[in-house]
Amino acid sequence: MNAVFFNEYIQTSPRFMTDFTPWTLFVDTGIISVLLLLGKLMRVKIRFIQKLFIPPSLLAGFMGLALGPHGFGIIPLSTQTGTYAGILIAFIFGALPLTSQKAAKGDADNIGSMWAYSQAGMLLQWAFGGLLGLLVLNRIWPLNPAFGITMPSGYCGGHGTAAAIGQAFSQFGYDEILTLAMTAATFGIVAAVIIGLIIIKWGTKKGHTSFLANYDDLPHELQTGLLPGDKRESMGESSCSSISIDPLTFNLIIVAVIALGGYCISKTVSHFMPGFELPVFSCAFVVGIFIKKIFDKTRTSDYVCPQTIGHISGTFTDFLVAFGIASIKISVVIEYIIPLLILLVSGLIATLIYVLVMARKLMKECWFEKAIFTWGWFTGTMAMGIALLRVADPKMRSRCLDNYALAYLFIAPVEISLITFAPVAFLNGYGLMFTGICLAAGLAVLAITVFVSVSAVSFLYLSYTPAATAVWVSMIYPVSSYNFLMVFAVSSSLV
């Protein structure tokens, strides 16, 4: 089959490019799976890729972008790859509450400082991107008012948040936001790895690292991603007998039911409140919280394996990254290349300054390890943060992930609120007010933490999280004072 005939076949076959059928999903998943395997092979065999710690999902996405319908059109990927990313994020956020740890009473100061550091950084990154877009870039180029928030959507949120934000704007005809946010996420992951490794080398030379004396002493398995037999761990526990239902199936269907519940809630809200549609992933997260509470009360949690759920979520994340990058429209990136580069580079510089400066001020111990983890998280994904942390702290003695896991219980509601209400705020002309709230809240967290005490952070969190959510909802959708109090009460219960 020569190239000309193959391209004509791709373009004319209804299974691939025009009519969407179950076989389209089958072929798309198979192609991305092949690309993921090729990406893994490249990670194992190519030294340059090993040194940069580039994940196979990123390599698969690049290959899908170059060879797919938005590139040279060589492989028969459909044009639905962006839609897949929007669906996968609902499964990922639905699984999140089932993998959360319970808060511990000990180590409260470290958890509190980690929360303040991460929460303020997240809010300030959203404020920086939004204000740079609204007050600077939009005055030079005719851009969408939400152009600036594509940077924090892709950086701090990763491809998952980029997909969620892009899908929200696509419903109103602004398809370019999805491509711009996905581009920001991809740019951020590459920057997270390259700059992150430079930071670690600098830290070892300056003596800032607590557990790594020489950058060249890294274990080989961190570079290839293949674990030797003596370092392999179990993927989880089997809580069900396979004679009734396979344990993996049992955990998977729980996540699927939660995601479906989120979809039903989203559609129910849009039915009774026309013009206001909650993202499916946000609703899935809320459903996951209530399911987790029910499971805890009924002791069903004893049969749900957080490790298995975590691996299921990780699988969805790998496919999301690959599909998300493959969905980038190169023509849109080229059209906005100058303002986009200004936005992304400025965001990197601002994030780097915040991460290194504030970590030294807020963290009592292992500030560098927590800074390098946060850099990977704030510019790439949480997985990239873990990868960089493993480089700086191979044996995980800094307890950074323990502190993060517990702190994220309090970060998640704010992050969900940002992703949920940012599109609606900008679409209704309240973008400046939204970014102003982010800026004020972020500075308030820092001010109280630095000038008062870390113990005051918990009071600040319990106060502003429900209030901010209620303000955002009332700001972007006309509600009565009664409804405002209802939103405040629901937000408080989730906290």
Side-chain angles (χ1 to χ4, degrees):
M1 183 181 293
N2 60 44
V4 175
F5 176 78
F6 187 60
N7 285 332
E8 290 178 355
Y9 174 68
I10 293 171
Q11 293 170 3
T12 57
S13 174
R15 288 184 298 155
F16 293 144
M17 303 305 290
T18 54
D19 298 330
F20 182 84
T21 70
W23 286 108
T24 310
L25 174 62
F26 174 81
V27 172
D28 287 344
T29 304
I31 291 174
I32 288 296
S33 298
V34 171
L35 296 180
L36 283 168
L37 285 174
L38 289 175
K40 181 60 180 176
L41 182 63
M42 293 167 65
R43 174 67 181 266
V44 172
K45 297 296 183 180
I46 300 177
R47 187 69 176 168
F48 171 75
I49 293 177
Q50 292 178 7
K51 289 185 176 181
L52 292 180
F53 291 85
I54 299 177
S57 58
L58 197 66
L59 297 172
F62 282 136
M63 288 185 283
L65 175 62
L67 304 177
H70 301 302
F72 294 105
I74 298 175
I75 57 176
L77 273 176
S78 75
T79 56
Q80 300 296 321
T81 50
T83 305
Y84 299 152
I87 295 173
L88 288 169
I89 190 61
F91 285 87
I92 294 169
F93 274 82
L96 188 61
L98 301 178
T99 61
S100 300
Q101 301 181 34
K102 292 184 177 180
K105 293 183 179 179
D107 210 20
D109 285 348
N110 287 328
I111 297 171
S113 59
M114 189 68 180
W115 174 81
Y117 175 60
S118 303
Q119 187 68 91
M122 177 185 294
L123 289 165
L124 292 177
Q125 191 181 77
W126 277 82
F128 179 83
L131 292 174
L132 179 61
L134 288 170
L135 302 181
V136 180
L137 299 179
N138 278 61
R139 297 178 183 272
I140 304 174
W141 292 277
L143 304 171
N144 187 304
F147 180 85
I149 64 169
T150 59
M151 182 269 289
S153 300
Y155 279 8
C156 193
H159 287 87
T161 299
I165 293 289
Q167 288 291 111
F169 279 98
S170 295
Q171 295 175 0
F172 295 91
Y174 301 108
D175 296 329
E176 74 277 6
I177 296 297
L178 176 60
T179 288
L180 295 173
M182 284 293 183
T183 302
T186 306
F187 184 88
I189 286 183
V190 175
V193 174
I194 296 175
I195 299 178
L197 294 177
I198 294 174
I199 294 173
I200 294 175
K201 287 185 177 181
W202 168 79
T204 55
K205 290 181 179 180
K206 295 292 184 180
H208 296 314
T209 53
S210 302
F211 311 104
L212 182 67
N214 190 346
Y215 179 83
D216 297 326
D217 294 339
L218 295 175
H220 183 63
E221 62 267 17
L222 288 181
Q223 300 180 22
T224 63
L226 295 176
L227 295 175
D230 60 334
K231 294 187 177 181
R232 296 174 185 174
E233 299 177 352
S234 172
M235 290 180 61
E237 297 180 342
S238 298
S239 58
C240 301
S241 172
S242 58
I243 199 172
S244 61
I245 188 172
D246 188 85
L248 182 61
T249 306
F250 177 70
N251 287 277
L252 177 60
I253 59 177
I254 292 175
V255 177
V257 168
I258 291 174
L260 177 62
Y263 175 81
C264 294
I265 290 177
S266 175
K267 294 305 176 184
T268 302
V269 170
S270 63
H271 175 75
F272 289 103
M273 302 174 68
F276 181 76
E277 185 170 351
L278 290 173
V280 175
F281 78 91
S282 302
C283 299
F285 179 77
V286 174
V287 172
I289 291 176
F290 285 108
I291 292 293
K292 181 67 164 63
K293 289 183 179 293
I294 293 173
F295 281 0
D296 289 342
K297 292 289 185 182
T298 59
R299 300 185 64 83
T300 307
S301 294
D302 295 341
Y303 301 95
V304 179
C305 179
Q307 291 83 7
T308 302
I309 296 289
H311 284 294
I312 291 173
S313 178
T315 300
F316 290 142
T317 301
D318 285 334
F319 276 95
L320 184 148
V321 172
F323 277 126
I325 296 175
S327 70
I328 293 175
K329 297 178 180 178
I330 300 177
S331 59
V332 175
V333 176
I334 294 175
E335 180 182 354
Y336 294 96
I337 188 64
I338 300 301
L340 186 61
L341 281 176
I342 295 174
L343 176 68
L344 298 182
V345 173
S346 300
L348 283 180
I349 295 173
T351 302
L352 180 62
I353 294 173
Y354 175 86
V355 163
L356 293 179
V357 172
M358 296 311 302
R360 301 186 76 165
K361 287 185 174 292
L362 298 180
M363 302 298 174
K364 294 182 177 180
E365 55 188 32
C366 302
W367 73 266
F368 183 84
E369 286 72 21
K370 294 173 182 177
I372 198 63
F373 165 78
T374 306
W375 165 258
W377 171 31
F378 274 14
T379 55
T381 62
M382 190 262 288
M384 291 310 305
I386 295 176
L388 291 173
L389 178 63
R390 289 184 186 275
V391 175
D393 180 16
K395 296 183 179 180
M396 295 296 177
R397 289 177 287 178
S398 63
R399 293 183 56 82
C400 175
L401 287 185
D402 297 326
N403 295 335
Y404 165 79
L406 297 175
Y408 191 76
L409 293 174
F410 308 104
I411 297 171
V414 180
E415 185 174 18
I416 297 296
S417 298
L418 288 169
I419 304 168
T420 302
F421 300 118
V424 191
F426 277 87
L427 286 168
N428 286 273
Y430 293 100
L432 188 60
M433 185 182 297
F434 178 88
T435 53
I437 292 175
C438 291
L439 179 63
L443 293 177
V445 172
L446 288 181
I448 291 183
T449 307
V450 173
F451 297 109
V452 183
S453 67
V454 172
S455 59
V457 168
S458 59
F459 172 78
L460 173 67
Y461 166 75
L462 293 172
S463 300
Y464 97 79
T465 299
T469 303
V471 167
W472 286 338
V473 173
S474 61
M475 177 183 69
I476 58 185
Y477 191 83
V479 293
S480 62
S481 57
Y482 170 78
N483 287 337
F484 177 89
L485 294 176
M486 288 295 293
V487 174
F488 184 90
V490 171
S491 303
S492 301
S493 67
L494 291 179
V495 171

